[in-house]
Amino acid sequence: MRSETAQLIKLQDYKETPYAIDSVSLVFKLKPEATEVVSTLTLSRRDGTEAGTLLELDGDELTLVSVAVDGVALAQEAYQASATKLIIHNPPADTFQLEVVTKVNPTANTKLEGLYLSKGIYCTQCEAEGFRRITYYYDRPDVLSVFTTRVEADKASNPILLSNGNPQETGDIEGTNRHFAVWHDPHPKPAYLFALVAGDLACTSEKYTTASGKPVDLNIFVEKGNEDRTDWSMDSLIRSMRWDEKVFGREYDLDVFNIVAVSAFNMGAMENKGLNIFNDKYILADSDTATDTDYEGIETVVAHEYFHNWTGNRITCREWFQLCLKEGLTVFRDQEFSSDERSRPVKRIADVIRLKSRQFPEDQGPLSHPVRPTEYKEINNFYTATVYDKGAELVRMIKTILGADGFRKGMDLYFERHDGDASTIEDFIKCFEDANALDLTQFSRWYHQSGTPVVKARGSYDAAAKTYTLDLAQINAPTPGQTEKKPFFIPVRFGLVGPNGDDLSYSSVEGAQVNGDLLCLSEDKHTVVFHGIGSKPVPSLLREFSAPVKLETGLSREDQIFLMRHDVDPFNRWQAAQTLMTELLIELTRGEEPAGKEAFIEALGHMAEDESLDHAFRGFGLMLPSEQAIALEIGADVDTDAIGDARDAFSKEIGVTLYDTFKRLYNELDMPAAFSPDAISAGKRALKLRCLSYLGAAQTEESAALAKTHFDNADNMSDRMGALTILVIWQLAGAQEALKAFEERHKDTALAMDKWLSIAARAPSEDSVAAIRTLTEHPAFSWENPNRIYALIGGFLGGNTRGFHAADGSGYNYLAEITLQLDKTNPQVASRMVKSFGNWKNMNAERREKAKAALQGILEADQQLSTDVKEIVELCLD
Ligand code: TRP
Ligand code: ZN
């Protein structure tokens, strides 16, 4: 919320600062309502800066106490201070010291950016532009400096004092009940990586020795009482450190690595140098309160933040347009880590589900933007699925194109060439080009052109000539701000599947760049002819989801079922099932009776019982596409009630038809006596719950009892939450009783109650908004804590499609109402919520009208909007 009319920030306007900050010394005198920050900057004029050039520093909601240059307080006419800028008119010609004293109020900081209090713990969140809420500074990623930080606080309430780098000195402040700690971070860093924590925290510690023998102290700090829930995150951290040494040759570079978990946090976690700060959801776990998905999420996020130490911190971004340089790459790295630690095909499926459910919708609506955008109004709005998840797909494609060795060579060169730099995507790509003597110009378009390409494939077999011809076309529809599109370089991993399920080999091929099982598209259209094909194949295209495109194969249902059963690529077996389900569901939504439905259900039964597939895979294979995914596929004039009805009816039909199969499987899958969060056990639990959910969909007395017993006997959160969800969604007998029992058991554990809130938010109801309003009154809910809001409101917007898209517009009006309410306290959270309007134009006329009115209502409200919310609403209405 910086100014009335936010300006457009453009990449082309990028300029270096006129001054460099050689070092920073900070002193924090922490008090809940009036913290004093003394900042001493050593500044020097950069080459090419004229003497006397203005020094303009960023601020946000700051109170200036004093300003001095080289020890002398500045006269009033020598500077200009506002809430958002500090301008020094005539700085000394050479190196000089600027001392700025500001006051901030951590208690009043409800935005959770800058310095704030979370349950009595002082903590900071500086990415992207939070440091300017602490002191006046060049708050931009290309200004790197060496930080020394002294933290002073009341000793009794804040025994732990932390900042970045290595600890230097601690002591009492004489004559007071306060103490101090000094931290020094030798690695130059931008301000967004600064962090400070002070509070009364419990700590779990381990010792780690790096590959080259350097000892590191690992500490995880949590609120007291939570220290027995850190085993899994510590284990994940140690495995991440080992993995990065082995796979990328990257070692840790400080004496200590500290993690702090706080309960009030806008995002998942933050990679501050040597002091990662986490949303406690991604640190705390035990079997009673965390699901298998939570364990996986913790492993991933701990790894992600740790991996940032090299991809983000040692090499940072030149400006925020380059955000994908650190985020896309680091997501790719955490995905690879989890793939190595767990099942690679299952992890790939999970990542593609995430991409298709979060990034595809973004790319097919008004919020579509390139992975590397060229303009924005509010940077907080660009921490998107496109930057993160599509960004990771682009790195994955580089690896696919270059192969593992070529990729590693490029990464090695990147670390060697750019360590210590604030870098760009162009720098990154250049390393792969130089290390492999290759031109990636066309490939780079993926960073600049937005939108999801559609790839159409049609094949024909000539038995006499023994040739198989594939006609491939890429279609790139216009996206906001980009009317003309050029063809992408698209790597398509493929196989030509012969009648017995094995891939056929070809003697020669023409029409595109083909290397083994990799076919690369570079033009709008290709006709690819394979020679020496002895029998008619079924093409299996885009194996492992080798590019982030929408594939349309036009394959018959018979051929899809064939792939679902026989493809050697597990990803495409899963994809074939998904494609079929989506086609059938769309026809069912239109009220048609789809051909091939019975055959498909039969094939699904086979997949469920196929012992050659691991349990987790089968759990995913049986999963119907979400209502949102179906809506996106339909694309226009969507009636969410019709989708919900069709999907419910189809679930029920599958449940009834395969009842015996699911029951047998459910009974046969036995779990080890003691809970373990490992991938194999988690996969079994997931498959068992998937069976139970189809049985639940059949809505028999027996299945209701089975679900209730599953709930009652659960010795872990996955089973308890899974069974509760089935009871509530299918409105089975015992649902209300189970909701009560869950509440009773977990009422004192906020993270567990978040699950309860999100299930309750999804419950079918005649008046969903009224139900949500009632839930906001529940003691477990709070408008002050983002996790509670994401659970309840996010659960409603993302998980209760009928309710949010109710034809009477009540869901839309409610979202408008809470957006306005939240915007007053936490614009980042408000903006994340309002993004749920993103695909409103796909709805039918009745709903479109209601959504548009609700969006306009936000703009017209008698209230100053944040740039965060305003930018999203304006893009939606554009
Ligand atoms: N860099 C963080 C990550 O690991 C993202 C993040 C955490 C963030 N907190 C934030 C971004 C607050 C913007 C605002 O992905
Ligand atoms: Zn990140």
Side-chain angles (χ1 to χ4, degrees), residues 7-300:
Q7 48 167 340
L8 198 58
I9 317 284
K10 291 186 178 158
L11 173 59
Q12 69 192 44
D13 295 341
Y14 172 78
K15 269 211 295 290
E16 238 192 355
T17 58
Y19 297 89
I21 304 179
D22 304 325
S23 67
V24 187
S25 155
L26 298 168
V27 179
F28 284 79
K29 299 171 185 170
L30 294 172
K31 300 236 172 87
E33 273 154 27
T35 289
E36 196 177 277
V37 184
V38 182
S39 155
T40 309
L41 309 179
T42 304
L43 290 137
S44 56
R45 196 152 53 93
R46 286 194 206 272
D47 292 347
T49 299
E50 247 176 79
T53 300
L54 293 185
L55 171 65
E56 274 188 75
L57 302 179
D58 309 299
D60 183 22
E61 294 187 321
L62 288 175
T63 306
L64 181 66
V65 177
S66 66
V67 49
V69 168
D70 290 332
V72 182
L74 283 189
Q76 234 163 39
E77 61 279 7
Y79 70 96
Q80 216 177 310
S82 70
T84 59
K85 280 254 176 272
L86 175 64
I87 300 171
I88 311 291
H89 289 306
N90 206 350
D94 300 310
T95 297
F96 60 100
Q97 283 209 337
L98 177 71
E99 189 193 271
V100 178
V101 182
T102 48
K103 259 210 170 88
V104 295
N105 183 346
T107 303
N109 186 354
T110 59
K111 293 184 182 175
L112 315 185
E113 295 174 88
L115 175 68
Y116 65 93
L117 276 160
S118 166
K119 290 214 201 160
I121 302 162
Y122 291 94
C123 66
T124 54
Q125 172 54 42
C126 292
E127 187 177 4
E129 297 178 338
F131 193 73
R132 65 184 64 185
R133 295 169 56 76
I134 293 172
T135 184
Y136 291 101
Y137 199 79
Y138 275 137
D139 190 8
R140 40 188 282 171
D142 64 338
V143 175
L144 276 61
S145 194
V146 173
F147 283 65
T148 306
T149 306
R150 179 183 160 104
V151 189
E152 302 179 6
D154 179 70
K155 191 173 179 176
S157 46
N158 306 280
I160 306 288
L161 305 174
L162 306 171
S163 190
N164 314 89
N166 296 320
Q168 272 202 323
E169 198 192 337
T170 56
D172 292 334
I173 302 173
E174 256 178 70
T176 69
N177 40 27
R178 295 170 70 81
H179 68 153
F180 73 91
V182 180
W183 292 79
H184 176 73
D185 182 359
H187 300 279
K189 66 166 175 290
Y192 83 87
L193 291 173
F194 170 81
L196 168 156
V197 170
D200 190 3
L201 297 156
C203 177
T204 319
S205 305
E206 285 291 340
K207 296 240 178 268
Y208 181 88
T209 307
T210 68
S212 68
K214 184 181 152 67
V216 184
D217 288 328
L218 310 179
N219 302 303
I220 299 183
F221 295 91
V222 295
E223 280 169 23
K224 282 197 166 150
N226 286 335
E227 52 272 36
D228 52 353
R229 293 205 274 161
T230 56
D231 289 358
W232 181 251
S233 34
M234 183 62 91
D235 185 60
S236 301
L237 173 61
I238 292 169
R239 285 185 285 120
S240 311
M241 295 177 84
R242 226 25 111 203
W243 185 89
D244 213 15
E245 291 171 352
K246 206 176 83 196
V247 178
F248 281 92
R250 298 296 114 197
E251 273 189 34
Y252 188 61
D253 54 7
L254 288 165
D255 305 338
V256 293
F257 186 75
N258 288 325
I259 286 180
V260 178
V262 298
S263 66
F265 202 74
N266 283 342
M267 308 269 283
M270 180 63 211
E271 70 264 24
N272 318 298
K273 184 79 188 188
L275 177 53
N276 289 359
I277 300 183
F278 275 65
N279 184 326
D280 60 3
K281 173 178 162 55
Y282 291 109
I283 289 293
L284 304 178
D286 59 25
S287 62
D288 198 46
T289 56
T291 61
D292 292 315
T293 312
D294 292 330
Y295 277 94
E296 244 183 276
I298 289 169
E299 183 178 274
T300 298

Side-chain angles (χ1 to χ4, degrees), residues 366-367 377 855 859 869-878:
L367 303 180
K377 284 185 177 164
L855 279 161
L859 285 186
V869 165
K870 198 159 180 228
E871 180 177 33
I872 299 298
V873 175
E874 282 175 349
L875 285 171
C876 282
L877 285 172
D878 211 17

Side-chain angles (χ1 to χ4, degrees), residues 127 269 271 304-305 308 326-327 330-331 388:
E127 187 177 4
E271 70 264 24
H304 179 98
E305 305 311 329
H308 268 316
K326 75 177 178 81
E327 295 304 347
T330 305
V331 170
Y388 276 66

